[in-house]
């Protein structure tokens, strides 16, 4: 006996996980806040070109400037800039000037193409920081007690280089520089990393630098370790970021006297000012907020952002020094962070000057189709909303996969809203509630999904539990009741036995009576299924019937010396000395056996004298030699049958073969 063994199928499941990378310290994060890993080894400076919506980040260690779009995708890399640090954007947004210290050069980068456009030598000076004012490019250079300031005049046919502009020898090493259109012809410089902080203001309107103000420990704060500075757009003040004290100090350009503060937390290391005067202040803070946003002149933050921990340390990611830059329209604030594995990330903070809002959306977890439900929620913020504030509601379902705008709901004085809806489609229905924001409030979005029960479809199929002969062509009729748009049925046939797969017999649109017919040739028992895959309003439905199929069986006796009709049947006559050979042919299946049965007639009835199961060969055949010494004049009959399960399998219906009659004579 031979059995077939089919290999077991295996399945592989792959699990994905995601990690949230942006959080906020005041209210929920704006929906558009995002972050992208950067191909950096270090950072020196960051500037934003609003005209082309690009972000330029210098990498001194790798000697490159990486350029991204507003979404953080890298759109270009300017290489061969060893030691590049300070960056400055031209007023027309056409050029980024880069101080390339290890090449003793100022390099102009074309903002439109993100490629190097020009390179000017600074002689033996290794420029570190750069600023634009008075019609010149100003840069700082030097170290070890030789910090100084130089300039490049690019207005003529040939560039004019002037070094040693700080005749007072103010700085130990190259100072941080900045300037503002609000104070034309004025340059501000600060000693990096020095304690106490040293600041200087220069009048450069004549073409040379003349120191007009100087302060060592301005404001007598005892602060030190200057990391960044920025001149206000109105040209009135300079704001500094020093390791101490724990605030961004403000000083007047006129005499560098104290003029306010923006209170942050431990180790300030960055500051940038928006065109309208709003301030972004950064701190090196493992366990506190990293970015603090202030309205101009207000000493407490409007918003704070606390970076998550993407590394392996106990503390969170930290802000890179000088790692903040506003988009000119204040729609975004860009921040560069790094973790303890020195992985750098560009964080795009959306609508940073607007008060965060929290929006919620709720609805029943489940609901019946075509019946009313209500979406409710709240819109809250630390600042009041104008009367009549509205949220918009969109429904996304199988009928509107791109979303359908439903309307708006008015927010009450307590921040609550409600919106009634009757979902026409079943399945997963998602309601998206959106607040567009206003001049003072950030936008927000909330979603809630409802499982809407679809209506039940009716699918029927004929011929259930009927028995058919082997190789019969049987017509099956499937009927589909009321549905919405889908009027397609599928008829499948799944024969018994693991070697025959479930197969699609017919797929089509039902006729005007809702019927679809298909003919199936039956050689085994089979499960016949009518499938409706469902539509947006009616659930999928499958009806499965079982039909049974007999085997093909035939038998014969060989060795008879004659056949004749007797006792209302055809008998084979054998001499008593002859052993009959009984032959069986049956539909084959691996391991199949047939039932061999002999009966003898006596006392007016047939009586079984022998029953046995014999295996079939691979062609479905077998022969049995009847080698007994039978009596003469006695009537016998013999047959072969397939008995479901007892014959070794269950792929066909029990099938009794026809009787073969015989008798013996001398």
């Amino acid at each position: 006996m031979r059995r077939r063994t089919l290999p077991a199928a295996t399945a592989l499941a792959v699990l994905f996980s995601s990690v949230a990378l942006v959080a906020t310290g005041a209210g929920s994060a704006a929906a558009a806040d995002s972050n992208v890993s950067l191909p950096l080894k270090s950072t020196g400076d960051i500037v934003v070109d609003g005209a082309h919506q690009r972000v330029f980040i210098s990498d001194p260690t790798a000697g490159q400037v990486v350029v991204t779009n507003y979404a953080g995708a890298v759109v270009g890399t300017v290489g061969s800039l060893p030691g590049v640090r300070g960056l400055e954007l031209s007023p027309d947004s056409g050029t980024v000037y880069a101080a390339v210290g290890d090449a003793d050069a100022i390099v102009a980068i074309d903002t439109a193409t993100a490629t190097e456009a020009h390179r000017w030598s600074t002689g033996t000076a290794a420029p570190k920081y750069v600023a634009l004012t008075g019609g010149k490019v100003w840069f700082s250079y030097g170290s070890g007690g030789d910090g100084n300031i130089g300039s490049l005049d690019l207005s003529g046919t040939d560039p004019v280089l002037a070094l040693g502009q700080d005749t007072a020898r103010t700085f130990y090493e190259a100072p941080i520089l900045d300037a503002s259109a609000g104070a034309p012809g004025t340059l501000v410089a600060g000693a990096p990393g020095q304690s106490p902080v040293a600041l200087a203001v220069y009048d450069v309107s004549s073409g040379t630098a003349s120191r007009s103000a100087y302060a060592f420990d301005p404001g007598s704060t005892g602060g030190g370790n200057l990391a960044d500075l920025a001149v206000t757009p109105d040209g009135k003040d300079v704001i500094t970021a020093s390791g101490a004290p724990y605030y961004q100090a403000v000083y007047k350009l006129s005499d560098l006297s104290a003029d306010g503060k923006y209170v942050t937390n431990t180790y300030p290391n960055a500051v940038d000012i928006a065109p309208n005067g709003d301030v972004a202040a950064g701190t090196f803070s493992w366990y506190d907020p990293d970015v603090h946003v202030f309205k101009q002149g207000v000493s407490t933050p409007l918003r704070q952002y606390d970076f998550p921990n993407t590394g392996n340390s106990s503390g969170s990611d930290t802000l890179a020094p000088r790692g903040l830059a506003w988009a000119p329209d204040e729609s975004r604030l860009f921040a560069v962070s790094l973790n303890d594995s020195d992985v750098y990330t560009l964080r795009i903070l959306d609508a940073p000057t607007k008060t965060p809002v929290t929006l919620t959306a709720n609805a029943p977890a489940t609901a019946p189709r075509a019946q009313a439900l209500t979406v409710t929620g709240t819109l809250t913020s630390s600042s009041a909303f104008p009367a009549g504030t509205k949220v918009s509601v969109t429904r996304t379902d199988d009928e509107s996969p791109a979303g359908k705008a439903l309307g708006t709901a008015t927010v009450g004085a307590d921040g609550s809203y409600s919106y009634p809806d009757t979902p026409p489609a079943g399945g997963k229905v998602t309601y998206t509630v959106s607040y567009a924001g206003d001049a003072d409030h950030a936008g927000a979005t909330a979603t809630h999904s409802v499982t809407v029960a679809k209506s039940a479809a009716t699918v029927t199929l004929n011929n259930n539990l009927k028995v058919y002969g082997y190789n019969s062509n049987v017509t099956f009729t499937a009927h589909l009741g009321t549905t919405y748009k889908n009027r397609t049925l599928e008829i499948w046939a799944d024969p018994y036995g693991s070697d025959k797969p479930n197969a699609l017999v017919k797929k089509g649109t039902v006729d005007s009576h809702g019927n679809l017919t298909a003919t199936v040739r039956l050689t085994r028992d089979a499960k016949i299924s009518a499938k409706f895959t469902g539509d947006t309003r009616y659930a999928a439905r499958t009806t499965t019937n079982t039909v049974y199929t007999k085997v093909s069986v035939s038998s014969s006796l060989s060795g008879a010396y004659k056949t004749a009709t007797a006792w209302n049947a055809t008998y084979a006559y054998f001499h008593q000395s002859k052993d009959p050979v009984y032959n069986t042919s049956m539909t084959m299946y691996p391991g199949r056996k047939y039932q061999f049965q002999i009966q003898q007639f006596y006392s007016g009835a047939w009586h079984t004298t022998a029953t046995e199961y014999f295996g079939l060969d691979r062609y479905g055949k077998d022969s049995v030699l009847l080698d007994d010494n039978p009596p003469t004049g006695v009537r016998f009959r013999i047959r072969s049958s397939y008995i479901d399960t007892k014959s070794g399998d269950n792929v066909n219906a029990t099938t009794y073969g026809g009787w073969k009659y015989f008798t013996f004579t001398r």
Side-chain angles (χ1 to χ4, degrees):
M1 180 182 298
R2 186 177 68 182
R3 298 182 183 273
R4 294 182 183 178
T5 302
L6 298 180
T10 60
L12 177 65
V14 180
L15 302 179
F16 291 89
S17 63
S18 62
V19 178
L21 296 181
V22 175
T24 67
S28 60
D33 289 356
S34 58
N35 51 85
V36 180
S37 294
L38 292 171
L40 298 174
K41 294 182 179 179
S42 64
T43 59
D45 203 358
I46 175 174
V47 295
V48 179
D49 165 23
H52 303 98
Q53 295 200 343
R54 291 182 169 179
V55 181
F56 295 76
I57 306 166
S58 63
D59 181 349
T61 301
Q64 62 180 357
V65 171
V66 173
V67 187
T68 77
N69 59 20
Y70 271 17
V74 175
V75 297
T77 300
V78 184
S80 301
L81 304 175
V84 61
R85 185 170 297 276
L87 303 175
E88 185 74 3
L89 179 69
S90 65
D92 63 0
S93 296
T95 303
V96 167
Y97 293 94
V100 186
D102 293 346
D104 296 329
I106 299 295
V107 171
I109 298 172
D110 187 301
T111 55
T113 62
T115 58
E116 180 177 328
H118 299 283
R119 182 176 293 224
W120 298 280
S121 173
T122 56
T124 59
K128 198 167 186 179
Y129 300 98
V130 63
L132 299 176
T133 189
K136 293 183 179 182
V137 179
W138 296 86
F139 59 90
S140 62
Y141 64 94
S143 62
D146 291 324
N148 214 309
I149 297 172
S151 66
L152 268 176
D153 186 348
L154 304 176
S155 61
T157 303
D158 297 317
V160 177
L161 173 68
L163 299 178
Q165 295 268 351
D166 179 23
T167 57
R169 304 289 297 272
T170 307
F171 299 104
Y172 184 80
E173 62 180 70
I176 301 171
L177 302 180
D178 196 29
S180 168
T186 300
L187 181 69
V188 180
Q194 181 176 300
S195 295
V197 170
L199 296 177
V201 180
Y202 297 87
D203 180 354
V204 297
S205 57
S206 66
T208 60
S210 173
R211 197 174 79 178
S212 59
Y214 172 74
F216 185 74
D217 190 13
S220 301
T221 64
N225 296 315
L226 179 71
D228 200 5
L229 59 82
V231 180
T232 57
D234 61 10
K236 175 176 175 287
D237 293 311
V238 59
I239 303 175
T240 62
S242 302
Y246 298 157
Y247 55 80
Q248 268 71 353
V250 184
Y251 304 103
K252 296 178 182 179
L253 289 194
S254 58
D255 58 6
L256 293 177
S257 61
D259 198 26
K261 66 179 69 172
Y262 293 95
V263 180
T264 53
N265 46 245
T266 54
Y267 313 128
N269 68 347
V271 62
D272 195 44
I273 309 172
N276 72 345
D278 292 339
V279 175
T283 53
F284 178 85
S285 306
W286 277 320
Y287 304 103
D288 293 303
D290 304 272
V291 177
H292 319 258
V293 178
F294 299 83
K295 298 302 290 183
Q296 182 180 13
V298 180
S299 62
T300 56
L302 170 70
R303 297 189 71 167
Q304 298 189 92
Y305 297 83
D306 192 6
F307 298 152
N309 184 359
T310 65
N312 300 307
S313 68
S314 61
S316 65
D317 293 9
T318 56
L319 180 71
R322 308 192 78 213
L324 289 176
W326 288 94
D329 62 0
E330 294 188 77
S331 62
R332 298 167 181 83
L333 177 62
F334 298 92
V336 179
S337 68
L338 70 156
N339 64 18
D340 65 322
S341 298
D342 290 332
V343 174
Y344 288 83
T345 299
L346 179 63
R347 301 185 181 277
I348 302 104
L349 310 178
D350 186 70
T353 62
K354 296 184 178 182
T355 304
V357 303
T358 299
L359 179 62
T360 65
N362 301 287
T366 60
R369 190 190 69 80
Q371 293 190 27
L373 58 80
T374 302
V375 180
T376 62
T378 58
L379 178 70
T380 57
S381 174
S382 60
S383 62
F385 294 96
T389 294
K390 297 181 182 296
V391 293
S392 59
V393 183
T394 300
R395 182 183 62 230
T396 303
D397 55 22
D398 289 343
E399 288 187 15
S400 303
K404 179 180 180 180
L406 300 180
T408 60
T410 301
V411 179
D414 62 351
S416 65
Y417 69 88
S418 65
Y419 190 91
D421 184 50
T422 301
K428 181 180 180 181
V429 177
T430 299
Y431 290 94
T432 301
V433 182
S434 299
Y435 169 62
D438 57 27
D440 299 316
H441 297 89
T445 299
T447 62
H448 188 90
S449 295
V450 181
T451 300
V452 176
K454 294 184 179 182
S455 300
T458 300
V459 177
T460 61
L461 184 66
N462 65 343
N463 299 330
N464 190 35
L465 302 180
K466 291 184 178 180
V467 181
Y468 296 94
Y470 180 79
N471 222 22
S472 296
N473 288 314
V474 180
T475 299
F476 293 88
T477 299
H479 177 78
L480 177 63
T482 302
T483 61
Y484 178 48
K485 289 185 177 180
N486 184 7
R487 299 298 294 164
T488 300
L489 278 178
E490 300 174 1
I491 297 178
W492 292 72
D494 187 8
Y496 277 37
S498 59
D499 59 326
K500 296 289 186 182
N502 191 20
L504 177 64
V505 177
K506 188 175 183 179
K507 177 180 179 179
T509 303
V510 298
D511 62 20
S512 59
H513 302 290
N515 296 329
L516 180 72
T517 61
T519 299
V520 179
R521 185 170 69 89
L522 298 175
T523 60
R524 300 182 184 180
D525 298 346
K527 292 186 181 297
I528 308 298
S529 299
K531 295 184 179 181
F532 169 63
T533 58
D535 57 27
T536 59
R537 301 187 181 185
Y538 283 80
R541 181 72 177 268
T542 298
T543 296
T544 300
N545 289 350
T546 301
V547 293
Y548 301 101
T549 306
K550 294 181 178 181
V551 300
S552 174
V553 56
S554 62
S555 61
S556 64
L557 286 165
S558 59
Y561 67 87
K562 72 171 184 177
T563 59
T565 300
W567 303 290
N568 297 321
T570 299
Y571 277 77
Y573 287 80
F574 293 88
H575 290 297
Q576 189 181 32
S577 60
K578 179 67 173 178
D579 293 334
V581 176
Y582 179 66
N583 303 297
T584 298
S585 181
M586 185 179 290
T587 305
M588 186 52 188
Y589 186 79
R592 177 166 287 179
K593 300 174 288 184
Y594 67 98
Q595 185 194 65
F596 172 88
Q597 184 180 24
I598 296 179
Q599 290 186 343
Q600 180 181 345
F601 190 85
Y602 59 87
S603 300
W606 289 101
H607 299 273
T608 297
T609 59
T611 299
E612 193 168 347
Y613 285 87
F614 294 109
L616 296 161
D617 66 14
R618 63 193 181 100
Y619 301 106
K621 299 182 181 299
D622 191 55
S623 296
V624 178
L625 180 67
L626 307 177
D627 59 354
D628 203 355
N629 184 22
T632 60
V634 177
R635 295 156 56 187
F636 295 94
R637 67 181 184 180
I638 188 171
R639 72 177 178 184
S640 296
S641 302
Y642 168 83
I643 308 300
D644 193 356
T645 68
K646 291 184 178 180
S647 287
D649 61 79
N650 70 334
V651 302
N652 286 100
T654 295
T655 309
Y656 294 99
W659 291 105
K660 299 298 181 182
Y661 295 85
F662 63 100
T663 187
F664 292 91
T665 63
R666 291 190 182 275

